Amino acid sequence: MPFVTLPREKTTAGFTAAVLFGSLFAGLCAVGIVFLAYGVNPFYAIYEIFRSSFGSAFGFKETITKAVPLIFIGSGLALAYKAKFWNIGAESQLLWGAIIATWIGLNWGPHLPGFVVIPLMFLGGFIGGGLWGVIPAVFKVKFGINEVISTLMLNYVAAELVKYLVVGPWKGTTKYGYPYTDDLPDHALLNLLHHTRISVPLVIFAVLVALFLCFVVYRTRFGYEVRVIGENPEAGKYAGIDFFKTTVLMMAVSGGVAGIAGVGELLTIHKHLSYPETISAGYGFTAIIVAWLGRLNPGFAILSGLFFAGIIVGGDAIQISMGLPSATVNVFNGLILVFLIMGDFLLSHRVVYKRRAN
């Protein structure tokens, strides 16, 4: 091979930014090729995506709505990915948050005031998602089971559990046979802005959680241990870092934050538990790209979550206006992720031309 890759010793902030924007640009070019294959003008399609999500009042409101769960989950995934623990199970952790919150709301909600039951539902959702996240952490540290496989498979377990609940023991008596639970009490729901699906307290909560996790990662001993585990596990062992404790706590937080996202969706949009694909529009998977675009910095998940929420909203819009298939958004997100990973490789490696010996 005429080219070889060598480890890159250090990178500047300018080079990092250039690679990031270059990766996004390359990803958009690849998306443009897909649009061309469908006979659609790629420049117009991409323009319509961002115009529909950020250029209209309705679109921007929907973008904010969809950004909230992406910010929650993306910031939590960034924490786990800092330790190179590849949590692909945020979708199931979100569902567990919704499951626990539904149980609390239906059983305790009628007997407790809103200012008590709402925090209890968020706390229960955090615990539910966190405990579900701890399972693959224990599997990896104690039994060496690959976390990609375990977290991915647990998504199916949680999804099937939700289906069982809504068609079985939790099926609502007021839903005319439809596979939903009964609605949560009105006082157990979050208030929304007029003519929107936006809860201002929930938006503020998502931003604060992302900023808090950023502080944890870069300004606390726990965050330092997480980063050491990801960057140099051998150095971590030499320094006496407890891998089991750190990994379990890290995944409890990462899964718990995803569980909070599930509670937020339940209390603002759905008001009852239903099929898993209804509770989450694939947020657990899209948030993986959110974390990568944010350079695994929980704070940057605020901006990257807003960006990808816009792609979801704009992608839905062009499906209708241009007659594109429903997989358009998934293709868009997947290509962006591929090029972000390629850019990440260039940040840690340099490509060198290897001269042939005479």
Side-chain angles (χ1 to χ4, degrees), residues 322-342:
M322 297 182 180
L324 293 172
S326 58
T328 301
V329 174
N330 293 333
V331 172
F332 196 117
N333 291 344
L335 287 173
I336 294 294
L337 178 59
V338 168
F339 281 93
L340 286 174
I341 294 174
M342 291 170 63

Side-chain angles (χ1 to χ4, degrees), residues 211-249:
L211 293 177
F212 175 72
L213 290 180
C214 183
F215 173 81
V216 168
V217 169
Y218 295 104
R219 291 291 185 270
T220 67
R221 176 182 175 86
F222 170 68
Y224 171 76
E225 292 177 346
V226 168
R227 287 183 285 122
V228 169
I229 289 176
E231 295 170 3
N232 194 332
E234 293 302 320
K237 294 178 181 178
Y238 181 78
I241 294 176
D242 188 333
F243 271 55
F244 179 77
K245 176 183 176 181
T246 303
T247 303
V248 167
L249 180 58

Side-chain angles (χ1 to χ4, degrees), residues 10-356:
K10 62 179 181 178
T11 58
T12 63
F15 180 74
T16 300
V19 170
L20 176 61
F21 286 108
S23 300
L24 282 175
F25 178 76
L28 290 175
C29 290
V31 171
I33 295 174
V34 174
F35 285 136
L36 278 175
Y38 276 101
V40 174
N41 185 324
F43 297 102
Y44 180 70
I46 293 174
Y47 165 77
E48 276 297 301
I49 287 175
F50 291 102
R51 186 197 66 81
S52 300
S53 54
F54 296 103
S56 69
F58 175 79
F60 188 66
K61 292 173 186 176
E62 283 299 295
T63 298
I64 295 293
T65 301
K66 293 185 181 298
V68 171
L70 293 179
I71 293 171
F72 275 124
I73 304 171
S75 60
L77 289 179
L79 172 67
Y81 293 168
K82 271 293 183 184
K84 289 186 171 55
F85 189 101
W86 309 119
N87 179 14
I88 315 297
E91 193 81 357
S92 63
Q93 293 145 21
L94 179 153
L95 292 177
W96 265 100
I99 290 171
I100 301 300
T102 299
W103 187 90
I104 293 174
L106 291 177
N107 289 276
W108 297 352
H111 313 294
L112 296 173
F115 68 87
V116 174
V117 71
I118 290 176
L120 280 177
M121 284 191 284
F122 276 106
L123 177 61
F126 179 85
I127 294 173
L131 290 177
W132 199 247
V134 165
I135 295 173
V138 174
F139 283 172
K140 179 175 182 177
V141 178
K142 291 297 186 181
F143 307 107
I145 298 175
N146 185 286
E147 72 275 17
V148 173
I149 301 299
S150 60
T151 54
L152 186 61
M153 292 298 101
L154 286 173
N155 286 331
Y156 296 100
V157 175
E160 293 303 318
L161 174 61
V162 171
K163 292 177 184 178
Y164 165 74
L165 292 174
V166 298
V167 301
W170 288 11
K171 188 174 182 179
T173 58
T174 62
K175 293 301 180 180
Y176 306 103
Y178 287 99
Y180 313 134
T181 66
D182 288 322
D183 286 343
L184 299 174
D186 289 340
H187 66 273
L189 302 174
L190 294 175
N191 294 326
L192 305 179
L193 285 177
H194 191 53
H195 293 308
T196 74
R197 300 194 296 172
I198 300 172
S199 168
V200 174
L202 188 64
V203 173
I204 296 173
F205 189 26
V207 172
L208 291 178
V209 166
L211 293 177
F212 175 72
L213 290 180
C214 183
F215 173 81
V216 168
V217 169
Y218 295 104
R219 291 291 185 270
T220 67
R221 176 182 175 86
F222 170 68
Y224 171 76
E225 292 177 346
V226 168
R227 287 183 285 122
V228 169
I229 289 176
E231 295 170 3
N232 194 332
E234 293 302 320
K237 294 178 181 178
Y238 181 78
I241 294 176
D242 188 333
F243 271 55
F244 179 77
K245 176 183 176 181
T246 303
T247 303
V248 167
L249 180 58
M250 172 194 69
M251 278 302 296
V253 174
S254 180
V257 173
I260 289 177
V263 180
E265 290 296 287
L266 188 71
L267 301 190
T268 57
I269 297 176
H270 306 291
K271 302 180 177 65
H272 55 253
L273 192 66
S274 56
Y275 279 134
E277 56 269 22
T278 302
I279 296 296
S280 173
Y283 294 129
F285 298 112
T286 304
I288 296 173
I289 319 173
V290 170
W292 277 102
L293 181 59
R295 300 295 306 147
L296 304 188
N297 183 319
F300 291 165
I302 299 171
L303 295 177
S304 58
L306 188 65
F307 175 78
F308 275 101
I311 290 177
I312 293 173
V313 173
D316 290 341
I318 65 170
Q319 285 178 36
I320 299 173
S321 63
M322 297 182 180
L324 293 172
S326 58
T328 301
V329 174
N330 293 333
V331 172
F332 196 117
N333 291 344
L335 287 173
I336 294 294
L337 178 59
V338 168
F339 281 93
L340 286 174
I341 294 174
M342 291 170 63
D344 192 66
F345 178 81
L346 290 178
L347 287 175
S348 58
H349 295 79
R350 56 192 179 95
V351 181
V352 179
Y353 177 72
K354 183 180 179 181
R355 294 183 178 180
R356 295 181 179 179

